[in-house]
């Protein structure tokens, strides 16, 4: 019998940043982790970046990385963004799905950094082999849509019984998101085990768009003027992107 995707090899990607605007904020640290099978010690690649822009105190309060520390120890963005994209392309060529919690945030940020520093785009790395993304936020929201409460990584770890040690460290968050995704797969195995990662990637784009429409409608009813982007796992480029 073929092993289900959630019992097979998975990778995960996470970033820490200067803020939450994918068009203008910068990556200050990132990690790609690869786990060949459940329970196996993951291989971890880490990057620390000197973003070349001020690091707000609010961002440092989240991830603990100060502007001084990044200036002293971080590398310039251009080679780092290339290395991260290469690491993700390696997963694509291996056919290994990549877990990205709230994928449109991290992947769009990486795309904008590649455009900013390398006159490139993330899509160029996946012209010969597609990146297969698993987003635990989208999966959980679709499969357990009526559960109340927030769905941050911390919330999902608590709900699925996954230990999160060192939250807001890119590598720790990547490992936790990977374990949550395996837990989602097992809990909803009857609905997920027959799906190949490529099929699931396509379905998540549909599910996320529906979730975005639902949130947009809720905002409208609540009088909140905020646009919800339905694109997944990467937001399209804006003509005037910073």
């Amino acid at each position: 019998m073929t092993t289900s995707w959630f019992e097979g090899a998975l990778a995960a990607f996470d970033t820490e940043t200067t803020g939450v605007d994918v068009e203008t904020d910068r990556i200050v640290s990132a990690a790609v982790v690869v786990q060949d099978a459940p329970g196996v010690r993951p291989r971890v690649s880490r990057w620390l970046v000197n973003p070349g822009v001020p690091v707000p105190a609010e961002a440092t309060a989240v991830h603990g990385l100060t502007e001084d520390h990044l200036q002293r120890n971080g590398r310039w963005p251009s080679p780092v963004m290339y290395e991260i994209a290469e690491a993700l392309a390696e997963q694509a060529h291996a056919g290994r799905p990549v877990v990205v919690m709230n994928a449109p945030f991290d992947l769009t940020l990486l795309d904008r950094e590649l455009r900013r520093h390398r006159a490139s785009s993330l899509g160029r790395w996946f012209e010969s082999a597609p990146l297969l993304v698993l987003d635990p936020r989208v999966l959980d929201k679709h499969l357990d849509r009526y559960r109340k409460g927030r769905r941050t990584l911390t919330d999902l770890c608590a709900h699925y019984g996954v230990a999160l040690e060192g939250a807001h460290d890119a590598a720790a968050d990547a490992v936790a998101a990977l374990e949550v995704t395996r837990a989602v797969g097992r809990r909803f195995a009857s609905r997920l085990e027959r799906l190949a990662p490529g099929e699931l990637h396509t379905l998540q784009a549909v599910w996320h768009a529906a979730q975005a429409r639902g949130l947009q409608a809720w905002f409208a009813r609540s009088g909140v003027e905020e646009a919800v982007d339905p694109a997944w796992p990467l937001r399209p480029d804006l003509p005037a992107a910073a």
Side-chain angles (χ1 to χ4, degrees), residues 113-136:
E113 288 279 47
L114 287 165
R115 292 169 187 270
R116 186 178 289 123
H117 297 290
R118 300 201 64 91
S120 182
S121 68
L122 187 57
R124 291 188 189 175
W125 266 265
F126 307 111
E127 286 169 353
S128 59
L131 184 68
L132 302 175
V133 178
L134 297 168
D135 187 335

Side-chain angles (χ1 to χ4, degrees), residues 16 23 36 57 65 70 74 87 97 135 151 156 162 198 200 224:
E16 297 300 330
E23 301 298 340
D36 293 323
L65 298 169
L70 293 167
D135 187 335
R151 301 185 195 236
L156 295 185
V162 170
L200 199 49
V224 177

Side-chain angles (χ1 to χ4, degrees), residues 142-159:
H142 177 77
L143 295 160
D144 196 0
R145 67 181 69 184
Y146 300 113
R147 189 177 81 249
K148 301 291 186 191
R150 300 169 70 221
R151 301 185 195 236
T152 66
L153 180 59
T154 304
D155 298 315
L156 295 185
C157 284
H159 182 72

Side-chain angles (χ1 to χ4, degrees), residues 12-170:
F13 169 59
D14 189 69
T15 66
E16 297 300 330
T17 65
T18 59
V20 296
D21 187 325
V22 296
E23 301 298 340
T24 58
D25 278 305
R26 311 297 174 90
I27 293 171
V28 296
S29 72
V32 171
V33 305
V34 179
Q35 188 183 46
D36 293 323
V40 174
R41 188 182 182 89
R43 302 188 296 281
V44 181
S45 300
R46 290 182 174 88
W47 293 269
L48 195 65
V49 187
N50 177 359
V53 298
V55 180
E58 302 81 28
T60 298
V62 172
H63 48 59
L65 298 169
T66 64
E67 192 170 329
D68 180 65
H69 178 76
L70 293 167
Q71 286 176 352
R72 290 171 185 269
N73 302 288
R75 295 167 58 206
W76 287 112
S78 179
V80 171
M81 300 313 150
Y82 179 87
E83 289 170 19
I84 295 170
E86 281 285 292
L88 294 177
E90 190 180 314
Q91 309 313 313
H93 282 282
R96 195 180 292 120
V98 179
V99 172
V100 191
M101 172 76 186
N102 191 17
F105 179 77
D106 295 82
L107 294 180
T108 304
L109 257 166
L110 177 58
D111 174 76
R112 303 312 192 250
E113 288 279 47
L114 287 165
R115 292 169 187 270
R116 186 178 289 123
H117 297 290
R118 300 201 64 91
S120 182
S121 68
L122 187 57
R124 291 188 189 175
W125 266 265
F126 307 111
E127 286 169 353
S128 59
L131 184 68
L132 302 175
V133 178
L134 297 168
D135 187 335
R137 191 163 179 263
V138 173
L139 292 170
D140 172 73
K141 221 170 177 179
H142 177 77
L143 295 160
D144 196 0
R145 67 181 69 184
Y146 300 113
R147 189 177 81 249
K148 301 291 186 191
R150 300 169 70 221
R151 301 185 195 236
T152 66
L153 180 59
T154 304
D155 298 315
L156 295 185
C157 284
H159 182 72
Y160 287 98
V162 170
L164 176 54
E165 296 166 10
H168 299 296
D169 166 82

